């Protein structure tokens, strides 16, 4: 009877060890999959994370102040189809189309003259663009970056 009990206990511990090893292996596999997914997402967002846009006043050579949109591409590749949605209600949803921004450059475009009356300090603005891989991105006024497909509202 004692040997049966010892053999049964050994079988139970062996089964628990096997189940435990399976659980640990599954948990480690899941963690590795999550890390790989994060690395892939970081790689996918790499270029888009290096794009910024803001509005800032500057002095023209004649001494007058002008407000301008600045689009900076700190990446090693150009960005395409750059658009700046204008939040001005009078603009009725207009978009300032910039086109392409070369790598390592800042492009400046005039902002609406009416904005100069309420301008205080440089501030970020919304930008939408295609990265060099053809993915569309949107960075909002708070600096949050999202795939433009994810950030667009669903059509009714």
């Amino acid at each position: 009877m004692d040997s049966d009990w010892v053999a049964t206990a050994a079988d139970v511990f062996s089964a628990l060890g096997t189940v435990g090893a399976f659980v640990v292996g599954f948990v480690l596999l899941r963690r590795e999959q999550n890390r790989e997914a994060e690395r892939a997402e970081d790689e996918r967002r790499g270029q888009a994370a290096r794009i910024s846009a803001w509005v800032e006043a500057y002095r023209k050579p004649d001494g007058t102040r002008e407000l301008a949109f600045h689009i900076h591409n700190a990446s090693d590749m150009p960005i395409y189809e750059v658009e700046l949605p204008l939040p001005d209600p009078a603009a009725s949803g207009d978009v300032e189309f910039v086109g392409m921004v070369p790598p390592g450059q800042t492009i400046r475009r005039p902002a609406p003259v009416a904005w100069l009356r309420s301008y205080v300090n440089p501030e970020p603005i919304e930008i939408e663009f295609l990265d060099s891989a053809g993915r569309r991105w949107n960075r909002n006024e708070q600096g949050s970056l999202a795939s433009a497909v994810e950030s667009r509202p669903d059509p009714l």
Side-chain angles (χ1 to χ4, degrees), residues 71-84:
I71 303 100
H72 182 66
N73 178 1
S75 75
D76 296 331
M77 299 292 290
I79 58 173
Y80 306 95
E81 296 183 18
V82 177
E83 296 177 349
L84 304 171

Side-chain angles (χ1 to χ4, degrees), residues 9-136:
D11 289 343
V12 168
F13 285 125
S14 175
L16 288 175
T18 301
V19 169
F22 175 75
V23 169
V24 168
F26 182 75
V27 168
L28 292 175
L29 175 66
R30 189 70 184 137
R31 282 185 187 168
E32 184 58 31
Q33 286 175 332
N34 287 342
R35 269 189 243 140
E36 186 60 36
E38 287 173 10
R39 275 191 290 259
E41 179 66 10
D42 288 346
E43 185 177 315
R44 189 174 74 91
R45 295 171 65 96
Q47 181 182 17
R50 303 189 71 178
I51 309 302
S52 56
W54 66 96
V55 64
E56 184 175 15
Y58 70 98
R59 293 249 177 240
K60 292 174 35 177
D62 64 4
T64 59
R65 242 174 63 150
E66 186 172 86
L67 200 58
F69 297 121
H70 295 76
I71 303 100
H72 182 66
N73 178 1
S75 75
D76 296 331
M77 299 292 290
I79 58 173
Y80 306 95
E81 296 183 18
V82 177
E83 296 177 349
L84 304 171
L86 301 177
D88 184 8
S92 68
D94 284 346
V95 172
E96 175 73 22
F97 183 78
V98 177
M100 184 191 80
V101 178
Q105 293 192 21
T106 302
I107 301 293
R108 184 168 61 192
R109 294 284 189 270
V113 176
W115 288 23
L116 192 56
R117 287 186 298 240
S118 62
Y119 175 78
V120 179
N121 291 313
E123 59 184 71
I125 57 173
E126 185 175 355
I127 181 172
E128 191 168 308
F129 59 93
L130 280 177
D131 66 13
S132 59
R135 291 181 289 258
R136 183 160 290 285

